Amino acid sequence: MHLLGNPDGVRNAGGVLDQVTREVEIEVLPENIPDRVELDVERAQDRRLVARARPHHPQRQILTDGDLTIATVVPPRAEEVAAPTPEAATEVAEPELIRKVR
C-alpha cells in the first residue's frame, strides 16, 4: 500500500498519519501485477478503508476485506509535564560560584 496526500488532521490539527496495513490481497492476471496499490488519504478524517483503495487498473480486484483499516489519523498527544516534587519546591535556584571575584 502506498499512501497519497497529507490528511487534514495532520496538516491542520498536528495529528500523525499511522499506516496500520501495508499489504492487501488482489486478484489480477500475472502480466498486470502492480508494484503498489495507492490510497488517497488527502481527505481522511479518521480512517481509510480498503474499499477506497485504487489498484489503478480495471482488471484488478481487491480481495482483502473492505472494512480493514489501512491508515488512521492519530490526534496529537498533550505533552505531560511532571508535577514538581516538594524537594524541588524548597530548593533555591542560585548560580554556582566557579571562582572568587576580586
Side-chain angles (χ1 to χ4, degrees):
M1 292 297 306
H2 180 74
L3 304 180
L4 301 173
N6 192 13
D8 182 57
V10 173
R11 194 174 47 249
N12 297 322
V16 177
L17 181 63
D18 181 21
Q19 186 171 354
V20 180
T21 303
R22 301 202 179 275
E23 296 180 355
V24 293
E25 186 177 345
I26 63 171
E27 182 176 35
V28 64
L29 295 173
E31 61 268 12
N32 295 328
I33 296 175
D35 52 322
R36 65 183 181 192
V37 174
E38 295 180 344
L39 178 62
D40 182 9
V41 295
E42 188 73 27
R43 288 182 232 119
Q45 295 300 318
D46 55 359
R47 68 180 192 146
R48 288 301 223 166
L49 306 175
V50 172
R52 297 183 186 160
R54 297 176 288 149
H56 289 296
H57 197 282
Q59 297 175 347
R60 298 177 189 152
Q61 180 180 357
I62 296 175
L63 300 177
T64 303
D65 181 20
D67 289 330
L68 180 69
T69 299
I70 299 295
T72 61
V73 176
V74 181
R77 289 189 288 174
E79 187 175 316
E80 292 182 22
V81 178
T85 60
E87 295 84 31
T90 59
E91 294 178 11
V92 177
E94 294 182 15
E96 180 180 342
L97 182 60
I98 298 174
R99 63 182 172 92
K100 197 174 204 179
V101 180
R102 293 183 183 187

Coordinates of all heavy atoms in Angstrom, one line a residue:
M1 N 0.8 -1.2 0.0 CA 0.0 0.0 0.0 C 0.9 1.2 0.0 O 1.9 1.3 0.7 CB -0.9 0.0 1.2 CG -2.0 -1.0 1.3 SD -3.2 -1.0 0.0 CE -3.8 0.7 0.1
H2 N 0.5 2.2 -0.8 CA 1.2 3.5 -0.9 C 0.2 4.6 -0.6 O -0.8 4.7 -1.4 CB 1.9 3.6 -2.3 CG 2.6 4.9 -2.4 ND1 3.8 5.1 -1.8 CD2 2.3 6.0 -3.1 CE1 4.2 6.3 -2.1 NE2 3.3 6.9 -2.9
L3 N 0.4 5.4 0.4 CA -0.5 6.4 0.8 C -0.2 7.7 0.0 O 1.0 8.1 -0.1 CB -0.4 6.7 2.3 CG -0.7 5.4 3.2 CD1 -0.6 5.8 4.6 CD2 -2.0 4.8 2.8
L4 N -1.2 8.4 -0.5 CA -1.0 9.6 -1.3 C -1.7 10.8 -0.5 O -2.8 10.6 0.0 CB -1.7 9.5 -2.6 CG -1.2 8.4 -3.6 CD1 -2.0 8.3 -4.8 CD2 0.3 8.6 -3.9
G5 N -1.0 11.9 -0.4 CA -1.6 13.1 0.1 C -1.2 13.3 1.6 O -0.6 12.4 2.2
N6 N -1.7 14.4 2.1 CA -1.5 14.8 3.5 C -2.8 15.1 4.1 O -3.4 16.1 3.8 CB -0.6 16.0 3.5 CG 0.0 16.3 4.9 OD1 -0.1 15.4 5.8 ND2 0.5 17.4 5.1
P7 N -3.4 14.2 5.0 CA -4.7 14.4 5.6 C -4.8 15.7 6.3 O -3.9 16.3 6.9 CB -4.9 13.2 6.5 CG -3.8 12.3 6.2 CD -2.7 13.0 5.5
D8 N -6.1 16.2 6.4 CA -6.4 17.5 7.1 C -6.0 17.4 8.5 O -5.5 18.3 9.1 CB -7.9 17.8 6.9 CG -8.2 19.1 7.6 OD1 -7.6 20.1 7.2 OD2 -9.1 19.1 8.5
G9 N -6.2 16.2 9.2 CA -5.9 16.1 10.6 C -4.4 16.2 10.9 O -4.0 16.5 12.0
V10 N -3.6 15.9 9.9 CA -2.1 16.0 10.0 C -1.7 17.4 9.7 O -1.0 18.1 10.5 CB -1.4 15.0 9.1 CG1 0.1 15.3 9.1 CG2 -1.7 13.6 9.5
R11 N -2.3 18.0 8.6 CA -1.9 19.3 8.1 C -2.3 20.4 9.1 O -1.6 21.3 9.4 CB -2.5 19.5 6.8 CG -2.1 20.6 5.9 CD -2.6 20.6 4.5 NE -4.1 20.4 4.5 CZ -4.7 19.3 4.0 NH1 -3.9 18.3 3.5 NH2 -6.0 19.1 4.0
N12 N -3.6 20.3 9.6 CA -4.1 21.4 10.4 C -4.3 21.2 11.9 O -4.5 22.1 12.6 CB -5.5 21.8 9.8 CG -5.4 22.3 8.4 OD1 -4.4 23.0 8.0 ND2 -6.3 21.9 7.5
A13 N -4.3 19.9 12.3 CA -4.5 19.6 13.7 C -3.3 19.0 14.4 O -3.4 18.7 15.6 CB -5.7 18.7 13.9
G14 N -2.2 18.9 13.7 CA -1.0 18.3 14.3 C -1.0 16.8 14.6 O -0.2 16.3 15.3
G15 N -2.0 16.1 13.9 CA -2.1 14.7 14.1 C -0.9 14.0 13.4 O -0.1 14.6 12.7
V16 N -0.9 12.6 13.5 CA 0.1 11.8 12.9 C -0.6 10.7 12.1 O -1.6 10.1 12.5 CB 1.0 11.1 14.0 CG1 2.0 10.2 13.3 CG2 1.7 12.2 14.8
L17 N -0.2 10.6 10.8 CA -0.8 9.5 10.0 C -0.1 8.2 10.3 O 1.1 8.1 10.2 CB -0.5 9.9 8.5 CG -1.1 8.9 7.5 CD1 -2.6 8.8 7.6 CD2 -0.7 9.3 6.1
D18 N -0.9 7.2 10.7 CA -0.4 5.9 11.1 C -0.9 4.9 10.1 O -2.1 4.6 10.0 CB -0.8 5.6 12.5 CG -0.3 4.2 13.0 OD1 0.7 3.7 12.5 OD2 -0.9 3.7 13.9
Q19 N 0.1 4.3 9.3 CA -0.3 3.3 8.4 C -0.3 1.9 9.1 O 0.7 1.4 9.5 CB 0.7 3.2 7.2 CG 0.2 2.3 6.1 CD 1.0 2.4 4.8 OE1 1.9 3.2 4.7 NE2 0.8 1.5 3.9
V20 N -1.5 1.4 9.3 CA -1.8 0.1 10.0 C -1.5 -1.1 9.1 O -0.9 -2.1 9.6 CB -3.2 0.1 10.6 CG1 -3.5 -1.1 11.4 CG2 -3.4 1.3 11.5
T21 N -2.0 -1.0 7.9 CA -1.9 -2.2 7.0 C -1.0 -1.8 5.8 O -1.2 -0.7 5.2 CB -3.3 -2.6 6.5 OG1 -4.1 -2.9 7.6 CG2 -3.2 -3.8 5.5
R22 N 0.0 -2.6 5.5 CA 0.9 -2.3 4.4 C 0.7 -3.2 3.2 O 1.2 -2.9 2.1 CB 2.3 -2.5 4.9 CG 2.6 -1.5 6.1 CD 4.0 -1.3 6.3 NE 4.3 -0.4 7.4 CZ 4.2 0.9 7.3 NH1 3.9 1.5 6.2 NH2 4.5 1.7 8.4
E23 N -0.1 -4.2 3.3 CA -0.3 -5.1 2.1 C -1.8 -5.5 2.0 O -2.5 -5.6 3.0 CB 0.5 -6.4 2.3 CG 2.0 -6.2 2.2 CD 2.8 -7.5 2.3 OE1 2.2 -8.5 2.6 OE2 4.0 -7.4 2.2
V24 N -2.3 -5.6 0.8 CA -3.6 -6.1 0.6 C -3.5 -7.2 -0.5 O -2.6 -7.3 -1.3 CB -4.6 -5.0 0.1 CG1 -4.8 -4.0 1.1 CG2 -4.1 -4.3 -1.2
E25 N -4.5 -8.1 -0.5 CA -4.6 -9.2 -1.5 C -5.4 -8.7 -2.7 O -6.5 -8.2 -2.5 CB -5.2 -10.4 -0.8 CG -5.1 -11.6 -1.7 CD -5.7 -12.8 -1.0 OE1 -5.8 -12.8 0.2 OE2 -5.9 -13.8 -1.7
I26 N -4.9 -8.9 -3.9 CA -5.6 -8.5 -5.1 C -5.7 -9.7 -6.0 O -4.8 -10.6 -6.0 CB -5.0 -7.3 -5.8 CG1 -3.6 -7.6 -6.3 CG2 -5.0 -6.1 -4.9 CD1 -3.1 -6.5 -7.2
E27 N -6.7 -9.7 -6.9 CA -6.8 -10.7 -8.0 C -6.5 -10.0 -9.3 O -7.1 -9.0 -9.6 CB -8.2 -11.3 -8.0 CG -8.4 -12.4 -9.0 CD -9.8 -13.0 -8.9 OE1 -10.7 -12.3 -8.6 OE2 -9.9 -14.2 -9.2
V28 N -5.5 -10.6 -10.0 CA -5.1 -9.9 -11.2 C -4.3 -11.0 -12.1 O -3.8 -11.9 -11.6 CB -4.1 -8.7 -10.9 CG1 -2.9 -9.1 -10.2 CG2 -3.8 -7.9 -12.1
L29 N -4.3 -10.7 -13.4 CA -3.5 -11.6 -14.3 C -2.0 -11.3 -14.0 O -1.7 -10.2 -13.7 CB -3.9 -11.3 -15.7 CG -5.3 -11.7 -16.1 CD1 -5.6 -11.2 -17.5 CD2 -5.5 -13.2 -16.0
P30 N -1.2 -12.3 -14.2 CA 0.2 -12.1 -13.9 C 0.9 -11.0 -14.6 O 1.7 -10.3 -14.1 CB 0.9 -13.5 -14.4 CG -0.2 -14.5 -14.3 CD -1.5 -13.7 -14.6
E31 N 0.5 -10.7 -15.9 CA 1.1 -9.6 -16.6 C 0.6 -8.2 -16.1 O 1.2 -7.2 -16.5 CB 0.8 -9.7 -18.1 CG -0.6 -9.7 -18.5 CD -1.3 -11.0 -18.6 OE1 -0.7 -12.1 -18.1 OE2 -2.4 -11.1 -19.1
N32 N -0.4 -8.2 -15.3 CA -0.9 -6.9 -14.8 C -0.6 -6.7 -13.3 O -1.3 -5.8 -12.7 CB -2.5 -6.8 -15.0 CG -2.8 -6.8 -16.4 OD1 -2.1 -6.2 -17.3 ND2 -3.9 -7.4 -16.8
I33 N 0.3 -7.4 -12.7 CA 0.6 -7.3 -11.3 C 1.2 -5.9 -11.0 O 2.2 -5.6 -11.6 CB 1.6 -8.4 -10.8 CG1 0.9 -9.8 -10.9 CG2 2.0 -8.1 -9.4 CD1 1.8 -10.9 -10.6
P34 N 0.6 -5.1 -10.1 CA 1.1 -3.8 -9.9 C 2.2 -3.9 -8.8 O 2.3 -4.8 -8.1 CB -0.1 -3.0 -9.3 CG -0.9 -4.1 -8.6 CD -0.7 -5.4 -9.4
D35 N 3.1 -2.9 -8.9 CA 4.1 -2.8 -7.8 C 3.6 -2.2 -6.6 O 4.2 -2.4 -5.5 CB 5.4 -2.1 -8.3 CG 5.0 -0.7 -8.9 OD1 4.0 -0.6 -9.5 OD2 5.8 0.3 -8.6
R36 N 2.5 -1.5 -6.6 CA 1.8 -1.0 -5.4 C 0.4 -0.6 -5.7 O 0.0 -0.4 -6.8 CB 2.6 0.3 -4.9 CG 2.5 1.4 -5.9 CD 3.3 2.6 -5.4 NE 3.2 3.7 -6.3 CZ 4.0 4.7 -6.2 NH1 4.9 4.8 -5.3 NH2 3.8 5.7 -7.1
V37 N -0.4 -0.6 -4.6 CA -1.8 -0.1 -4.7 C -1.8 1.2 -3.9 O -1.3 1.3 -2.8 CB -2.7 -1.2 -4.0 CG1 -4.1 -0.6 -3.9 CG2 -2.7 -2.5 -4.8
E38 N -2.4 2.2 -4.5 CA -2.4 3.6 -3.9 C -3.7 3.9 -3.2 O -4.7 3.4 -3.6 CB -2.1 4.6 -5.0 CG -0.7 4.5 -5.6 CD -0.4 5.5 -6.6 OE1 -1.3 6.1 -7.1 OE2 0.8 5.7 -6.9
L39 N -3.6 4.6 -2.1 CA -4.7 5.0 -1.3 C -4.6 6.5 -1.1 O -3.6 7.0 -0.5 CB -4.8 4.3 0.0 CG -5.9 4.6 0.9 CD1 -7.3 4.4 0.3 CD2 -5.8 3.9 2.2
D40 N -5.6 7.3 -1.6 CA -5.6 8.8 -1.4 C -6.1 9.1 0.0 O -7.2 8.8 0.3 CB -6.4 9.4 -2.4 CG -6.4 11.0 -2.3 OD1 -5.6 11.5 -1.5 OD2 -7.2 11.6 -3.0
V41 N -5.3 9.7 0.9 CA -5.7 10.0 2.2 C -5.8 11.5 2.5 O -6.0 11.9 3.6 CB -4.6 9.4 3.3 CG1 -4.6 7.9 3.2 CG2 -3.3 9.9 3.0
E42 N -5.8 12.2 1.4 CA -5.9 13.7 1.5 C -7.1 14.2 2.3 O -7.0 15.1 3.1 CB -6.0 14.3 0.1 CG -5.9 15.8 0.0 CD -4.5 16.3 0.3 OE1 -3.5 15.6 0.0 OE2 -4.3 17.4 0.8
R43 N -8.3 13.5 2.1 CA -9.5 14.0 2.8 C -9.8 13.1 4.0 O -10.9 13.1 4.5 CB -10.6 14.0 1.8 CG -10.5 15.2 0.9 CD -11.7 15.3 -0.1 NE -11.1 15.4 -1.4 CZ -11.3 14.6 -2.4 NH1 -12.1 13.6 -2.2 NH2 -10.7 14.7 -3.5
A44 N -8.9 12.2 4.4 CA -9.1 11.3 5.6 C -9.4 12.1 6.8 O -8.6 13.0 7.2 CB -8.0 10.4 5.7
Q45 N -10.4 11.8 7.5 CA -10.7 12.4 8.8 C -10.2 11.5 10.0 O -9.6 12.0 10.9 CB -12.2 12.6 9.0 CG -12.8 13.6 8.0 CD -12.1 15.0 8.1 OE1 -11.9 15.5 9.2 NE2 -11.8 15.6 7.0
D46 N -10.5 10.2 9.9 CA -10.1 9.3 11.0 C -9.5 8.1 10.5 O -8.4 7.7 10.9 CB -11.2 9.0 12.0 CG -12.4 8.4 11.3 OD1 -12.4 8.3 10.0 OD2 -13.4 8.1 12.0
R47 N -10.1 7.4 9.5 CA -9.5 6.2 9.0 C -10.0 6.0 7.5 O -11.0 6.5 7.1 CB -9.9 4.9 9.8 CG -11.4 4.6 9.7 CD -11.6 3.3 10.6 NE -13.0 2.9 10.2 CZ -13.3 1.6 10.2 NH1 -12.4 0.7 10.6 NH2 -14.5 1.2 9.9
R48 N -9.2 5.2 6.8 CA -9.5 4.9 5.4 C -9.7 3.4 5.3 O -9.0 2.6 6.0 CB -8.4 5.3 4.5 CG -8.3 6.8 4.3 CD -9.6 7.3 3.8 NE -9.3 8.3 2.8 CZ -10.2 8.8 2.0 NH1 -11.4 8.3 2.0 NH2 -9.9 9.7 1.1
L49 N -10.5 3.0 4.4 CA -10.8 1.6 4.2 C -10.3 1.0 2.9 O -10.0 1.8 2.0 CB -12.3 1.3 4.3 CG -13.0 1.9 5.5 CD1 -14.5 1.7 5.4 CD2 -12.5 1.3 6.8
V50 N -10.1 -0.3 2.9 CA -9.6 -0.9 1.7 C -10.5 -0.7 0.5 O -10.1 -0.5 -0.6 CB -9.5 -2.5 1.9 CG1 -9.2 -3.2 0.6 CG2 -8.4 -2.7 2.9
A51 N -11.8 -0.5 0.7 CA -12.8 -0.3 -0.3 C -12.5 0.9 -1.1 O -12.9 1.0 -2.3 CB -14.2 -0.3 0.2
R52 N -11.8 1.9 -0.6 CA -11.4 3.1 -1.3 C -10.1 3.1 -2.0 O -9.7 4.0 -2.6 CB -11.5 4.3 -0.3 CG -12.9 4.4 0.3 CD -12.9 5.6 1.2 NE -14.2 5.7 1.8 CZ -14.4 6.4 2.9 NH1 -13.5 7.0 3.5 NH2 -15.6 6.4 3.5
A53 N -9.3 2.0 -1.8 CA -8.0 1.9 -2.5 C -8.2 1.6 -4.0 O -9.2 1.0 -4.4 CB -7.3 0.7 -1.9
R54 N -7.3 2.2 -4.7 CA -7.3 2.1 -6.2 C -6.2 1.2 -6.7 O -5.0 1.6 -6.5 CB -7.2 3.5 -6.8 CG -8.3 4.4 -6.5 CD -8.0 5.8 -7.1 NE -6.9 6.4 -6.3 CZ -6.1 7.2 -6.8 NH1 -6.1 7.6 -8.1 NH2 -5.1 7.8 -6.1
P55 N -6.5 0.1 -7.3 CA -5.4 -0.7 -7.9 C -4.9 -0.2 -9.2 O -4.0 -0.8 -9.8 CB -6.0 -2.1 -8.0 CG -7.4 -1.9 -8.1 CD -7.7 -0.7 -7.3
H56 N -5.5 0.9 -9.7 CA -5.0 1.5 -11.0 C -5.1 0.7 -12.2 O -4.3 0.8 -13.1 CB -3.6 2.1 -10.8 CG -3.5 3.2 -9.9 ND1 -4.2 4.4 -10.2 CD2 -2.9 3.4 -8.7 CE1 -3.9 5.3 -9.2 NE2 -3.2 4.7 -8.3
H57 N -6.1 -0.2 -12.3 CA -6.3 -1.0 -13.5 C -7.7 -1.6 -13.4 O -8.0 -2.2 -12.3 CB -5.2 -2.1 -13.6 CG -5.2 -2.6 -15.0 ND1 -6.1 -3.5 -15.5 CD2 -4.3 -2.4 -16.0 CE1 -5.7 -3.8 -16.7 NE2 -4.7 -3.1 -17.0
P58 N -8.5 -1.6 -14.4 CA -9.9 -2.1 -14.3 C -9.9 -3.6 -14.2 O -10.9 -4.2 -13.8 CB -10.5 -1.6 -15.7 CG -9.4 -1.3 -16.6 CD -8.3 -0.9 -15.7
Q59 N -8.8 -4.3 -14.5 CA -8.8 -5.8 -14.5 C -8.2 -6.3 -13.2 O -7.9 -7.4 -13.0 CB -8.0 -6.3 -15.7 CG -8.7 -6.0 -17.0 CD -7.8 -6.5 -18.2 OE1 -6.7 -6.8 -18.0 NE2 -8.4 -6.5 -19.3
R60 N -8.1 -5.4 -12.2 CA -7.6 -5.8 -10.9 C -8.8 -5.7 -9.8 O -9.5 -4.7 -9.9 CB -6.5 -4.9 -10.4 CG -5.3 -5.0 -11.3 CD -4.2 -4.1 -10.9 NE -3.2 -4.1 -12.0 CZ -2.4 -3.0 -12.2 NH1 -2.5 -1.9 -11.5 NH2 -1.5 -3.1 -13.1
Q61 N -8.8 -6.7 -8.9 CA -9.9 -6.6 -7.9 C -9.2 -6.8 -6.6 O -8.4 -7.8 -6.4 CB -10.9 -7.7 -8.2 CG -12.0 -7.8 -7.2 CD -13.0 -8.9 -7.4 OE1 -12.9 -9.6 -8.4 NE2 -14.0 -9.0 -6.6
I62 N -9.6 -6.0 -5.6 CA -9.0 -6.1 -4.3 C -9.8 -7.2 -3.5 O -11.1 -7.1 -3.4 CB -9.1 -4.8 -3.5 CG1 -8.2 -3.8 -4.2 CG2 -8.7 -4.9 -2.1 CD1 -8.2 -2.4 -3.6
L63 N -9.2 -8.2 -3.0 CA -9.8 -9.3 -2.3 C -9.9 -9.1 -0.8 O -10.7 -9.7 -0.1 CB -9.1 -10.6 -2.6 CG -9.1 -11.0 -4.1 CD1 -8.3 -12.3 -4.3 CD2 -10.5 -11.1 -4.6
T64 N -9.0 -8.3 -0.2 CA -8.9 -8.0 1.2 C -10.3 -7.4 1.7 O -10.9 -6.6 1.0 CB -7.8 -7.1 1.5 OG1 -6.6 -7.7 1.0 CG2 -7.6 -6.8 3.0
D65 N -10.7 -7.8 2.9 CA -11.9 -7.3 3.5 C -12.0 -5.7 3.4 O -11.1 -5.0 3.8 CB -12.0 -7.7 4.9 CG -13.3 -7.3 5.6 OD1 -14.3 -7.0 4.9 OD2 -13.3 -7.3 6.8
G66 N -13.1 -5.2 2.9 CA -13.3 -3.8 2.7 C -13.5 -3.0 4.0 O -13.5 -1.8 4.0
D67 N -13.6 -3.7 5.1 CA -13.7 -3.0 6.4 C -12.4 -2.9 7.1 O -12.3 -2.3 8.2 CB -14.7 -3.7 7.3 CG -16.1 -3.5 6.8 OD1 -16.4 -2.4 6.2 OD2 -17.0 -4.3 7.1
L68 N -11.3 -3.4 6.5 CA -10.0 -3.4 7.1 C -9.4 -2.0 7.1 O -9.5 -1.3 6.1 CB -9.0 -4.3 6.4 CG -7.6 -4.4 6.9 CD1 -7.6 -5.1 8.2 CD2 -6.7 -5.1 5.9
T69 N -8.9 -1.5 8.2 CA -8.4 -0.1 8.3 C -6.9 -0.2 7.7 O -6.1 -1.0 8.1 CB -8.3 0.3 9.7 OG1 -9.7 0.4 10.2 CG2 -7.7 1.7 9.9
I70 N -6.7 0.7 6.8 CA -5.4 0.8 6.2 C -4.5 1.9 6.9 O -3.4 1.6 7.3 CB -5.5 1.3 4.7 CG1 -6.2 0.2 3.9 CG2 -4.1 1.5 4.1 CD1 -5.6 -1.1 3.8
A71 N -5.1 3.0 7.2 CA -4.4 4.1 7.9 C -5.3 4.9 8.8 O -6.5 5.0 8.5 CB -3.7 5.0 6.9
T72 N -4.8 5.5 9.8 CA -5.6 6.3 10.7 C -4.8 7.6 10.9 O -3.6 7.7 10.8 CB -5.8 5.6 12.1 OG1 -4.6 5.4 12.7 CG2 -6.6 4.3 11.9
V73 N -5.6 8.6 11.3 CA -5.0 9.9 11.7 C -5.1 9.9 13.2 O -6.2 10.0 13.7 CB -5.7 11.1 11.0 CG1 -5.1 12.4 11.6 CG2 -5.6 11.1 9.5
V74 N -4.0 9.9 13.9 CA -4.0 9.8 15.3 C -3.8 11.3 15.8 O -2.9 12.0 15.4 CB -2.8 9.0 15.8 CG1 -2.7 8.9 17.3 CG2 -2.9 7.6 15.2
P75 N -4.7 11.7 16.7 CA -4.6 13.1 17.2 C -3.4 13.3 18.0 O -2.9 12.3 18.6 CB -5.9 13.2 18.1 CG -6.4 11.9 18.4 CD -5.9 11.0 17.3
P76 N -2.9 14.5 18.1 CA -1.7 14.7 18.9 C -1.9 14.5 20.4 O -3.0 14.8 20.9 CB -1.3 16.2 18.6 CG -2.6 16.8 18.2 CD -3.4 15.7 17.5
R77 N -0.9 14.0 21.0 CA -1.0 13.8 22.5 C -0.4 15.0 23.2 O 0.6 15.6 22.7 CB -0.2 12.6 22.9 CG -0.8 11.3 22.5 CD -0.1 10.2 23.1 NE 1.3 10.0 22.5 CZ 2.2 9.2 22.9 NH1 2.0 8.4 24.0 NH2 3.3 9.1 22.3
A78 N -1.1 15.4 24.2 CA -0.6 16.6 25.0 C 0.7 16.1 25.7 O 0.7 15.0 26.3 CB -1.6 17.0 26.0
E79 N 1.7 17.0 25.8 CA 2.9 16.7 26.4 C 2.7 16.7 27.9 O 2.1 17.6 28.5 CB 4.0 17.7 26.1 CG 5.3 17.3 26.6 CD 6.4 18.3 26.1 OE1 6.4 18.6 24.9 OE2 7.2 18.7 27.0
E80 N 3.1 15.6 28.6 CA 2.9 15.5 30.0 C 4.0 16.3 30.7 O 5.2 16.2 30.4 CB 2.9 14.1 30.5 CG 1.8 13.3 30.0 CD 1.8 11.8 30.5 OE1 2.5 11.6 31.5 OE2 1.2 11.0 29.9
V81 N 3.6 17.2 31.7 CA 4.5 17.9 32.5 C 4.5 17.3 33.9 O 3.4 17.3 34.5 CB 4.1 19.4 32.5 CG1 5.1 20.2 33.4 CG2 4.1 20.0 31.1
A82 N 5.7 17.0 34.4 CA 5.7 16.4 35.7 C 5.5 17.4 36.8 O 6.0 18.6 36.7 CB 7.1 15.7 35.9
A83 N 4.7 17.1 37.8 CA 4.4 18.0 38.9 C 5.7 18.1 39.7 O 6.4 17.1 39.9 CB 3.3 17.4 39.7
P84 N 6.0 19.3 40.2 CA 7.2 19.5 41.0 C 7.1 18.7 42.3 O 6.0 18.7 42.9 CB 7.3 21.0 41.2 CG 5.9 21.5 40.9 CD 5.2 20.5 40.0
T85 N 8.2 18.2 42.7 CA 8.3 17.4 44.0 C 8.4 18.4 45.1 O 8.9 19.6 44.9 CB 9.4 16.4 44.0 OG1 10.6 17.2 43.8 CG2 9.3 15.4 42.8
P86 N 8.1 18.1 46.3 CA 8.3 19.0 47.5 C 9.7 19.4 47.6 O 10.0 20.5 48.0 CB 7.8 18.2 48.7 CG 6.9 17.2 48.1 CD 7.4 16.9 46.7
E87 N 10.7 18.5 47.3 CA 12.1 18.9 47.5 C 12.5 19.9 46.5 O 13.2 20.8 46.8 CB 13.0 17.6 47.3 CG 12.8 16.5 48.3 CD 11.6 15.6 48.0 OE1 11.3 15.4 46.8 OE2 11.0 15.1 49.0
A88 N 12.0 19.8 45.3 CA 12.3 20.8 44.2 C 11.7 22.2 44.6 O 12.3 23.2 44.2 CB 11.8 20.3 42.9
A89 N 10.6 22.2 45.2 CA 10.0 23.5 45.6 C 10.8 24.3 46.6 O 10.7 25.5 46.7 CB 8.5 23.3 46.1
T90 N 11.5 23.5 47.5 CA 12.3 24.2 48.6 C 13.6 24.6 48.1 O 14.3 25.5 48.8 CB 12.4 23.3 49.8 OG1 13.1 22.1 49.4 CG2 11.0 23.0 50.4
E91 N 14.1 24.1 47.0 CA 15.4 24.5 46.5 C 15.4 25.9 45.9 O 14.4 26.2 45.2 CB 15.9 23.5 45.4 CG 16.2 22.1 46.0 CD 16.6 21.1 44.9 OE1 16.8 21.6 43.7 OE2 16.6 19.9 45.1
V92 N 16.4 26.6 46.1 CA 16.5 28.0 45.6 C 17.5 27.9 44.4 O 18.6 27.4 44.5 CB 17.0 29.0 46.6 CG1 17.2 30.4 46.0 CG2 16.1 29.0 47.8
A93 N 17.1 28.4 43.3 CA 17.9 28.4 42.1 C 18.9 29.5 42.2 O 18.6 30.7 41.9 CB 17.1 28.5 40.9
E94 N 20.2 29.2 42.6 CA 21.2 30.2 42.6 C 22.3 29.7 41.7 O 22.6 28.5 41.5 CB 21.8 30.3 44.0 CG 20.8 30.8 45.0 CD 21.4 31.0 46.4 OE1 22.6 30.9 46.6 OE2 20.6 31.2 47.4
P95 N 23.0 30.6 41.1 CA 24.1 30.2 40.2 C 25.3 29.6 41.0 O 25.5 30.0 42.2 CB 24.5 31.5 39.5 CG 24.1 32.6 40.4 CD 22.9 32.1 41.1
E96 N 26.0 28.8 40.4 CA 27.1 28.1 41.0 C 28.3 29.0 40.9 O 28.6 29.6 39.9 CB 27.4 26.8 40.3 CG 28.6 26.0 40.9 CD 28.9 24.7 40.1 OE1 28.0 24.3 39.4 OE2 30.0 24.2 40.3
L97 N 29.0 29.2 42.1 CA 30.2 30.1 42.1 C 31.4 29.2 41.6 O 31.8 28.2 42.2 CB 30.5 30.6 43.5 CG 31.6 31.5 43.7 CD1 31.5 32.7 42.8 CD2 31.8 31.9 45.2
I98 N 32.0 29.7 40.5 CA 33.1 28.9 39.9 C 34.4 29.4 40.5 O 35.3 28.6 40.8 CB 33.1 29.0 38.4 CG1 31.8 28.4 37.9 CG2 34.3 28.4 37.8 CD1 31.5 28.6 36.4
R99 N 34.6 30.7 40.6 CA 35.9 31.3 41.2 C 35.5 32.5 41.9 O 34.5 33.2 41.7 CB 36.9 31.5 40.1 CG 36.5 32.6 39.1 CD 37.6 32.7 38.1 NE 37.2 33.6 37.0 CZ 37.4 34.9 37.0 NH1 38.1 35.5 37.9 NH2 36.9 35.6 36.0
K100 N 36.4 32.9 42.8 CA 36.2 34.1 43.7 C 36.4 35.3 42.8 O 37.4 35.4 42.1 CB 37.1 34.0 44.8 CG 36.7 34.9 46.0 CD 37.7 34.6 47.1 CE 37.0 35.0 48.4 NZ 37.8 34.7 49.5
V101 N 35.5 36.3 42.9 CA 35.7 37.5 42.2 C 36.4 38.5 43.0 O 36.1 38.7 44.2 CB 34.3 38.1 41.8 CG1 34.4 39.4 41.1 CG2 33.5 37.1 41.0
R102 N 37.5 39.2 42.5 CA 38.2 40.2 43.3 C 37.9 41.6 43.0 O 37.6 42.1 42.1 CB 39.7 40.0 43.1 CG 40.2 38.6 43.6 CD 41.6 38.5 43.4 NE 42.0 37.2 43.8 CZ 43.2 36.7 43.9 NH1 44.2 37.5 43.6 NH2 43.5 35.6 44.3

